Amino acid sequence: MKDKSKKTKEKAPKVHPDLAGFEMNIDSFGQITSTLNRDALNAFLDKEMPDDKKLNPKNDESK
C-alpha cells in the first residue's frame, strides 16, 4: 500500500506555447497579479477563442 503522507510531485500543466511561463496569483488583499500583461493575454484570447456573438447573432426583430 502506498504511503499517503508522501507529497505528490506537481506536474506543470500543458499549455499553449504562447502562454509558456504564464502564472496568475491572488494576493492576501484580493489583487490579481500575473506574469503576462493584460493586453498580451487579451490579444491571445482574441486570436485563439471564437467569439460566440459573431457566430450566433441574435435577431431582435423576431420577437
Side-chain angles (χ1 to χ4, degrees):
M1 193 183 268
K2 293 184 179 180
D3 185 15
K4 291 185 180 182
S5 65
K6 292 183 181 178
K7 293 182 180 179
T8 59
K9 293 182 181 178
E10 290 186 26
K11 294 181 182 178
K14 293 180 183 178
V15 296
H16 194 277
D18 291 344
L19 296 178
F22 174 66
E23 289 185 23
M24 184 172 275
N25 298 312
I26 301 174
D27 65 10
S28 60
F29 298 109
Q31 294 178 340
I32 299 172
T33 58
S34 173
T35 57
L36 191 64
N37 72 13
R38 220 177 272 167
D39 293 330
L41 183 58
N42 283 334
F44 172 78
L45 292 173
D46 288 341
K47 182 177 75 170
E48 297 295 326
M49 299 297 296
D51 190 1
D52 291 337
K53 292 178 186 175
K54 290 180 182 177
L55 297 176
N56 299 322
K58 290 184 178 180
N59 193 357
D60 291 333
E61 297 174 4
S62 64
K63 291 183 180 178

